[in-house]
Amino acid sequence: MERKCYFTYRNVKSMTKVQAITTEAPKGGVKFQTVDVEDNGPVELSPMYTGICGTDRGMVTGRLDFAYNPQGQDFIVLGHESICRVKSADSQTGFKAGDLVVPMVRRPGKCINCQAGRQDNCSDGDKKEAGITGKNGFMRESFTDDPEFLVKIDDPSLSRTGVLTEPLKNVVKVFEVVETVSKRSIYASTDSTYHGKKAYVIGTGAEGFLFAMMASEYGFDTRILNRHPVEENRMAICDAFNMEFVDYSKEDRKEKIDLLIDTSGDPATFLKFMRIMNFNSVGIMFGTNGKAPSTEFTGKDIDIMVERNITLAGSVDAAKTHYEKAASYLSRWNARNSRVLSSMITSEKEPSETSVFTDRNPESIKTVIKWK
Ligand code: DN4
Ligand code: BGC
Ligand code: ZN
Ligand code: ZN
């Protein structure tokens, strides 16, 4: 898409009064209040659902040091996971009233990756993130946005589960990273598929499940792990996606791991499983938890990595192409078994129920706020 064509709209700014869920970054706290915020895009949107993830909880509890308010504001509107309905749009934007859209989190800075539409790989950290760093997010009654950062959702059956597009876009990017970094040797099975290869996903939150669902879709023998048992709903999702849940506090697996994905951010847990990674295997670090206890990374661990040609990569965020692919996967999974996909959304709250940011129900996978 021509980046310049909507540029003029970004200079048309007006202030709008809306009810919104806000925090004071990076200090924390949460309020549902009326705020006066700047709007600057030709597409007017009404969020239908906004999702809550660890990033939002980290901001509200003051644990996300890198979060900051937009310039000239002493608060930031929260929310980077959403499914929205277009309220009105200029005809040349390519959107019309009634369209379903998912707005993107990251907005480009000036570096070469940002200018190429790959702000997910920003080279100097000068990008902004809606609801996290320097830009108001989507937890408000309505807002306007630039069409360049809106992903159209063509499948009307995703009007609720489409809120999973944003967390799933991170997963789509990770699998692209896996395909790229695994090219240095023959990674697939002898029949050219991933059948028989073992994927381990640490953590049973929304991202953990989306990673495991994708690994299973790719054909890996997939295990999803935690250090305690999980409830029936999570076990039913494992059955439906042909993946196995492992409570690693009770059983010690000896099989070699070809793909290890960590969503816990816990170094000791990551190392425990890194030590049983296979030759030519790939490990992805995705979970972040600055507060996790330290652990010892030894010379023997380095030997393992070197001698087995192990590739470790970190991954954050994703590009517009990954949002689009995420929406296609959701459509496919929804068509296959709509009940299972919707069971990922375990609770629905009103915008005024702000205690949901601090009181976490361990049985919940994805909590959403319903806006209308
Ligand atoms: P979440 O719902 O908090 O999930 C984290 C999961 O990890 C929970 O199931 C935890 O279980 C589990 N866990 C914690 N410690 C351990 C451990 N030692 N062993 C096994 N499991 C453990 O968060 P989420 O699914 O929304 O996101 C996962 C992580 O990815 C978070 O750290 C996010 O900050 C990060 N993230 C990164 C990006 C990005 O890089 C995007 C979105 C999220 P329990 O403690 O609940 O029992 O772009
Ligand atoms: C979002 C990413 C974002 C990251 C920042 C995540 O929750 O999904 O898009 O880059 O937070 O840490
Ligand atoms: Zn998130
Ligand atoms: Zn950049």
Side-chain angles (χ1 to χ4, degrees), residues 298-305:
T298 64
K300 209 164 164 224
D301 293 321
I302 293 182
D303 287 358
I304 290 174
M305 289 191 60

Side-chain angles (χ1 to χ4, degrees), residues 32-235:
F32 179 51
Q33 59 172 344
T34 302
V35 291
D36 215 1
V37 282
E38 199 175 74
D39 256 345
N40 57 354
V43 183
E44 197 185 354
L45 300 161
S46 304
M48 297 162 71
Y49 295 94
T50 54
I52 300 179
C53 85
T55 305
D56 305 301
R57 291 199 170 91
M59 289 178 73
V60 166
T61 52
R63 282 182 287 116
L64 213 73
D65 298 343
F66 63 82
Y68 63 93
N69 299 329
Q71 208 177 8
Q73 272 185 211
D74 56 5
F75 64 89
I76 180 169
V77 177
L78 282 166
H80 57 277
E81 299 184 357
S82 75
I83 176 88
C84 303
R85 186 80 76 188
V86 173
K87 238 166 125 179
S88 66
D90 289 0
S91 55
Q92 70 269 45
T93 60
F95 292 91
K96 58 177 188 330
D99 283 349
L100 280 177
V101 298
V102 171
M104 291 172 66
V105 181
R106 278 205 182 183
R107 307 305 167 102
K110 293 194 176 60
C111 78
I112 190 160
N113 276 299
C114 282
Q115 288 307 303
R118 291 304 304 261
Q119 52 268 29
D120 58 313
N121 292 337
C122 177
S123 354
D124 59 10
D126 192 30
K127 63 353 169 179
K128 290 198 167 93
E129 291 187 318
I132 309 170
T133 49
K135 182 173 169 57
N136 288 313
F138 315 133
M139 291 190 183
R140 43 181 155 157
E141 291 169 301
S142 66
F143 61 98
T144 65
D145 212 340
D146 186 323
E148 183 179 347
F149 305 114
L150 299 177
V151 178
K152 198 182 274 177
I153 304 295
D154 293 321
D155 179 351
S157 73
L158 295 183
S159 62
R160 183 165 176 269
T161 42
V163 73
L164 298 172
T165 306
E166 193 282 332
L168 186 61
K169 96 324 179 170
N170 300 322
V171 171
V172 173
K173 172 177 169 176
V174 160
F175 275 80
E176 196 178 275
V177 171
V178 171
E179 288 188 50
T180 305
V181 300
S182 63
K183 283 203 168 70
R184 67 178 182 157
S185 66
I186 295 174
Y187 184 66
S189 301
T190 46
D191 66 357
S192 80
T193 72
Y194 295 122
H195 298 155
K197 296 270 166 184
K198 307 278 179 280
Y200 273 47
V201 178
I202 305 169
T204 52
E207 293 286 0
F209 266 93
L210 293 169
F211 274 115
M213 286 150 90
M214 190 66 82
S216 200
E217 183 80 20
Y218 266 68
F220 285 91
D221 281 355
T222 306
R223 326 268 185 252
I224 181 165
L225 300 91
N226 210 321
R227 60 218 183 290
H228 53 66
V230 293
E231 80 299 336
E232 228 173 84
N233 184 36
R234 280 178 165 84
M235 292 306 284

Side-chain angles (χ1 to χ4, degrees), residues 53-55 170 202-208 225-228 248 263-264 266 269 286-288 315-317 360 366:
C53 85
T55 305
N170 300 322
I202 305 169
T204 52
E207 293 286 0
L225 300 91
N226 210 321
R227 60 218 183 290
H228 53 66
Y248 70 80
T263 73
S264 75
D266 180 53
T269 309
F286 181 81
T288 50
S315 184
V316 68
D317 194 60
R360 186 157 176 247
K366 176 59 69 188

